[in-house]
């Protein structure tokens, strides 16, 4: 069963000033489109996902990916930095996979001491909703498995997370093998081929059994 993202929310993250509740975006089953004018936060939305899954953000000034822990001050809301002595920046995603609901949150804590703004490194919380309660998952390997397997699988990330990339750069369209591998990754064609081969085999066995019983009759 595919992952169903239920909500994405931000707290004092770039231009998303305020609490998670102030900046929550809920999704419905099917295709959801994020639409906004320039400089309204679409790329920052993307950066929130990148920070969450691989501790990176895309620096639009340098046109490259940067380690998120080196960019935390830049990621913090300018209004939060100007108005608050202590605050948290973060991104939180609630999603459902195989009937289980998870909440994953990446965040950092900021504090101003003697007019100097400092912050912690990125922190990660992963929770599993069970029996009407959120159960913290503390094992780091289990956290990684949930993010890399249940949220956005590693095999799909090159196709699911695009930033200023074209399909020509992502896939060698002149190569039948490369194109075939891409289609197989996205659509699971190899699984369908396996089903076809199995049904052919079953059909042959059924025909042979039919002829055998027919001869006996």
């Amino acid at each position: 069963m595919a992952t169903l993202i239920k909500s994405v929310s931000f707290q004092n993250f770039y231009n998303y000033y305020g609490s998670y509740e102030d900046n929550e975006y809920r999704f419905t089953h099917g295709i959801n489109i994020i639409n906004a004018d320039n400089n309204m936060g679409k790329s920052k939305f993307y950066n929130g996902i990148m920070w969450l899954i691989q501790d990176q953000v895309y620096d639009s000034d340098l046109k490259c990916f940067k380690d998120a822990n080196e960019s935390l001050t830049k990621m913090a809301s300018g209004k939060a930095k100007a108005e608050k002595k202590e605050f948290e920046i973060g991104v939180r995603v609630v999603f459902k996979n195989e009937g289980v609901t998870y909440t994953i949150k990446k965040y950092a804590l900021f504090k101003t001491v003697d007019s100097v703004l400092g912050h912690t490194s990125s922190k990660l919380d992963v929770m599993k909703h069970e029996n009407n309660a959120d159960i913290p998952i503390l094992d780091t390997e289990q956290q990684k498995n949930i993010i890399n397997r249940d949220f956005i699988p590693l095999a799909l990330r090159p196709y699911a997370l695009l930033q200023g990339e074209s399909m020509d750069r992502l896939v060698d369209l002149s190569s039948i093998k490369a194109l075939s591998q891409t289609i197989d990754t996205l659509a699971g064609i190899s699984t369908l081929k396996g089903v076809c081969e199995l049904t052919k085999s079953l059909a042959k066995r059924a025909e042979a059994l039919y002829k055998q019983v027919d001869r006996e009759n």
Side-chain angles (χ1 to χ4, degrees):
M1 181 179 178
T3 294
L4 299 176
I5 297 176
K6 300 178 72 174
S7 68
V8 178
S9 51
F10 305 94
Q11 180 160 281
N12 298 319
F13 182 71
Y14 287 109
N15 53 321
Y16 294 102
Y17 173 75
S19 67
Y20 293 108
E21 289 70 28
D22 293 332
N23 300 290
E24 182 179 50
Y25 299 86
R26 296 184 179 182
F27 295 84
T28 57
H29 186 80
I31 296 175
N32 294 262
I33 297 174
I34 300 170
N35 182 40
D37 292 333
N38 289 338
N39 299 317
M40 293 300 292
K42 297 188 300 297
S43 294
K44 310 312 180 191
F45 197 105
Y46 165 87
N47 266 345
I49 303 298
M50 294 299 295
W51 180 30
L52 187 65
I53 63 174
Q54 59 189 48
D55 272 325
Q56 286 186 320
V57 290
Y58 186 79
D59 190 312
S60 56
D61 296 327
L62 300 176
K63 305 297 183 186
C64 67
F65 286 99
K66 298 284 291 183
D67 185 315
N69 283 309
E70 297 177 0
S71 306
L72 288 173
T73 301
K74 190 173 182 178
M75 291 157 58
S77 160
K79 190 173 182 181
K81 287 186 284 188
E83 297 181 355
K84 298 183 178 184
K85 295 290 186 181
E86 295 184 32
F87 60 93
E88 175 184 310
I89 73 168
V91 56
R92 183 178 67 193
V93 174
V94 179
F95 71 96
K96 192 172 185 178
N97 183 283
E98 299 291 344
V100 180
T101 298
Y102 297 95
T103 299
I104 49 179
K105 184 176 80 167
K106 183 68 70 70
Y107 62 100
L109 305 176
F110 280 72
K111 185 175 182 179
T112 299
V113 178
D114 296 330
S115 300
V116 178
L117 181 65
H119 58 75
T120 65
S121 298
S122 297
K123 299 176 181 292
L124 176 67
D125 287 346
V126 179
M127 290 179 287
K128 178 180 180 181
H129 191 74
E130 197 171 62
N131 298 323
N132 294 320
D134 288 322
I135 310 300
I137 295 174
L138 303 178
D139 182 78
T140 55
E141 284 303 314
Q142 192 175 356
Q143 289 179 345
K144 288 180 182 178
N145 285 336
I146 290 170
I147 292 173
N148 295 333
R149 180 194 61 210
D150 299 329
F151 180 43
I152 302 178
L154 292 173
L156 290 179
R157 286 186 188 173
Y159 313 102
L161 298 167
L162 303 177
Q163 174 72 7
E165 294 185 64
S166 68
M167 187 57 74
D168 289 341
R169 291 168 55 192
L170 186 64
V171 182
D172 182 6
L173 298 177
S174 65
S175 167
I176 294 178
K177 182 179 180 181
L179 187 58
S180 176
Q181 289 175 342
T182 300
I183 294 173
D184 186 31
T185 300
L186 295 175
I189 295 298
S190 61
T191 302
L192 295 177
K193 288 179 179 178
V195 172
C196 288
E197 292 301 317
L198 178 61
T199 53
K200 286 180 182 178
S201 175
L202 291 173
K204 288 181 180 179
R205 290 173 59 187
E207 184 179 11
L209 286 171
Y210 168 77
K211 289 180 178 179
Q212 178 183 337
V213 174
D214 189 49
R215 285 193 300 271
E216 290 174 355
N217 290 337

